[in-house]
Amino acid sequence: MSARSSLSAFLRTEPDDAGCDKTMSLMHVYVELILAGLDAAKRYPGIAAHLKGCEGCRNDFEGLLAALSA
């Protein structure tokens, strides 16, 4: 990632973004809420915001969701 694209990604970051560390530490809880039919984004808006902007965490989230849905 170039410095310009890194800066652009940073500037698009939502103020309530939880960040990678917090998202990864709570991702299993977030996924379990979704699988239970609950509104995980309402309970953890910072994680929802982070998943919108971080491709790496979003990929991990989608993989975990798929694995636990099977």
Side-chain angles (χ1 to χ4, degrees), residues 2 31 63:
S2 72
V31 168

Side-chain angles (χ1 to χ4, degrees), residues 14 16-19 23 30 34 39-54 58 61:
E14 295 186 36
D16 60 344
D17 187 319
T23 297
Y30 193 85
I34 291 171
D39 190 351
K42 185 175 182 179
R43 178 135 184 216
Y44 294 103
I47 292 176
H50 185 72
L51 292 174
K52 283 189 220 174
C54 180
R58 188 171 50 254
F61 160 74

Side-chain angles (χ1 to χ4, degrees), residues 12-69:
R12 285 191 310 267
T13 302
E14 295 186 36
D16 60 344
D17 187 319
C20 292
D21 290 339
K22 186 167 185 176
T23 297
M24 292 305 289
S25 70
L26 291 171
M27 189 176 294
H28 66 289
V29 175
Y30 193 85
V31 168
E32 288 173 6
L33 288 171
I34 291 171
L35 293 174
L38 302 172
D39 190 351
K42 185 175 182 179
R43 178 135 184 216
Y44 294 103
I47 292 176
H50 185 72
L51 292 174
K52 283 189 220 174
C54 180
E55 184 178 357
C57 287
R58 188 171 50 254
N59 288 338
D60 289 345
F61 160 74
E62 290 169 357
L64 181 59
L65 183 61
L68 294 177
S69 296

